[in-house]
Amino acid sequence: MSAMNFLFRKPHFPLIIDTGYGLLGAKSWALCEKRLAKITFPDMAPRDVIDSTAEAFSLYPEHLVFSPLTFKKRWTKAAIIDLYNGQKGPERPEYPTTSLGNKSLEKWSRTSWTCLSRQ
């Protein structure tokens, strides 16, 4: 596996990455590289990546490049929760979409990452 790169700028850690099989959490660049090295992508389509500020990035698996050039620029709390609930494993709890205004976007993304990092 080749080294991972960035196009224009790095995402802010922690990250949530949609691998095509499920979601992956990464707290650091080293952990991200380690976890992605174990994954065989089902195809080379760009993957959604959400950084800690809820900015949208794409991961291009063929070249292992993270890029902020994506149609979706920002993720909302509801969209992050829907993504998580749609791809969580059977042993993981489902996040309710009620009372979204009570928690900041950063708290939701960090909470999601914490749950995903227990893999």
Side-chain angles (χ1 to χ4, degrees), residues 1-111:
M1 175 174 244
S2 61
M4 296 189 324
N5 294 299
F6 310 97
L7 185 61
F8 302 117
R9 66 180 177 277
K10 292 181 179 182
H12 298 278
F13 285 90
L15 300 178
I16 299 171
I17 303 168
D18 181 355
T19 64
Y21 294 112
L23 300 179
L24 178 82
K27 184 178 180 180
S28 67
W29 191 243
L31 185 59
C32 184
E33 284 185 312
K34 181 180 175 182
R35 289 195 172 162
L36 286 176
K38 297 176 184 177
I39 294 175
T40 302
F41 291 95
D43 57 35
M44 292 298 131
R47 305 289 175 206
D48 287 330
V49 178
I50 307 166
D51 79 354
S52 65
T53 65
E55 183 178 359
F57 282 78
S58 290
L59 168 63
Y60 294 87
E62 186 174 2
H63 304 289
L64 290 176
V65 172
F66 285 86
S67 171
L69 300 177
T70 180
F71 290 112
K72 188 177 210 168
K73 295 298 179 192
R74 306 272 313 155
W75 282 78
T76 64
K77 289 182 265 187
I80 293 170
I81 292 169
D82 288 343
L83 179 68
Y84 173 82
N85 286 340
Q87 296 199 24
K88 69 177 185 61
E91 70 283 352
R92 297 191 190 277
E94 184 163 314
Y95 281 118
T97 55
T98 57
S99 303
L100 292 179
N102 294 339
K103 294 182 181 170
S104 71
L105 186 60
E106 288 76 21
K107 184 171 183 174
W108 272 113
S109 63
R110 288 182 191 275
T111 301

